[in-house]
Amino acid sequence: WYGIVNGRDSMGRQVVKYGKFVKQCKVEVYPLELKICLYPNESDFTIVSLSRSDTVHTLEKFIREVFNIESTKRSRLYNRYMSNRTYDLIKDMNLEAQDIGMSDGQCVLLEVQNEDGTWPRVIDQASSSLKRTHSRI
């Protein structure tokens, strides 16, 4: 039942510290599964597993590798909450996934800065807001 079986690889597990004030070490049996995507292709996502103790910076580097984004390009990461489908900019890249409340099935969006220094989400939000204003007139 337990142990190493011939012809099969072992499953590595990490020991993770849980708790904000009182830390407890536990074996992470089930890693965190996230949907990662690149703006504006939110429906074209990849499911990845990572440790709850991985930092946001580690997650960003991993997403860059998956989508072949150069390390020299500026980017921003957003958390998408499933309940209201809003995106929150993740500002502190040194926090762990568990510290910012990431949960299984959650979507993390990477936005890459345009060559002219603008951010695509800001431009898209401004243009959709302008369209809504014109439709009310």
Side-chain angles (χ1 to χ4, degrees):
W1 180 263
Y2 295 102
I4 297 176
V5 177
N6 287 336
R8 292 233 167 140
D9 294 331
S10 62
M11 294 174 51
R13 297 288 181 231
Q14 290 186 313
V15 175
V16 178
K17 287 183 185 176
Y18 289 95
K20 229 176 193 172
F21 302 108
V22 177
K23 299 285 185 186
Q24 294 180 340
C25 293
K26 296 181 181 179
V27 174
E28 186 176 51
V29 178
Y30 301 104
L32 185 62
E33 284 194 350
L34 299 173
K35 296 175 184 176
I36 59 171
C37 58
L38 190 61
Y39 186 81
N41 302 323
E42 300 166 38
S43 59
D44 184 20
F45 60 84
T46 301
I47 297 175
V48 297
S49 295
L50 74 145
S51 172
R52 286 169 172 75
S53 66
D54 282 340
T55 64
V56 176
H57 179 70
T58 302
L59 174 60
E60 182 195 24
K61 283 176 48 178
F62 183 73
I63 294 172
R64 284 176 174 274
E65 288 175 20
V66 169
F67 292 108
N68 296 317
I69 306 297
E70 299 170 20
S71 61
T72 56
K73 293 193 176 226
R74 291 188 63 205
S75 66
R76 302 193 289 198
L77 273 182
Y78 292 87
N79 242 345
R80 186 176 88 192
Y81 296 100
M82 292 177 273
S83 59
N84 57 7
R85 297 189 49 87
T86 59
Y87 288 92
D88 285 339
L89 178 64
I90 303 171
K91 295 177 183 167
D92 190 345
M93 301 299 277
N94 296 315
L95 289 175
E96 294 178 354
Q98 65 186 354
D99 295 335
I100 60 173
M102 286 188 175
S103 58
D104 281 327
Q106 191 166 335
C107 185
V108 178
L109 176 97
L110 181 72
E111 176 187 31
V112 179
Q113 190 175 38
N114 294 327
E115 295 296 324
D116 64 1
T118 58
W119 293 98
R121 285 194 78 235
V122 174
I123 293 170
D124 290 349
Q125 287 172 348
S127 66
S128 68
S129 176
L130 186 61
K131 287 176 189 173
R132 277 184 267 142
T133 304
H134 285 294
S135 67
R136 290 183 197 152
I137 297 175

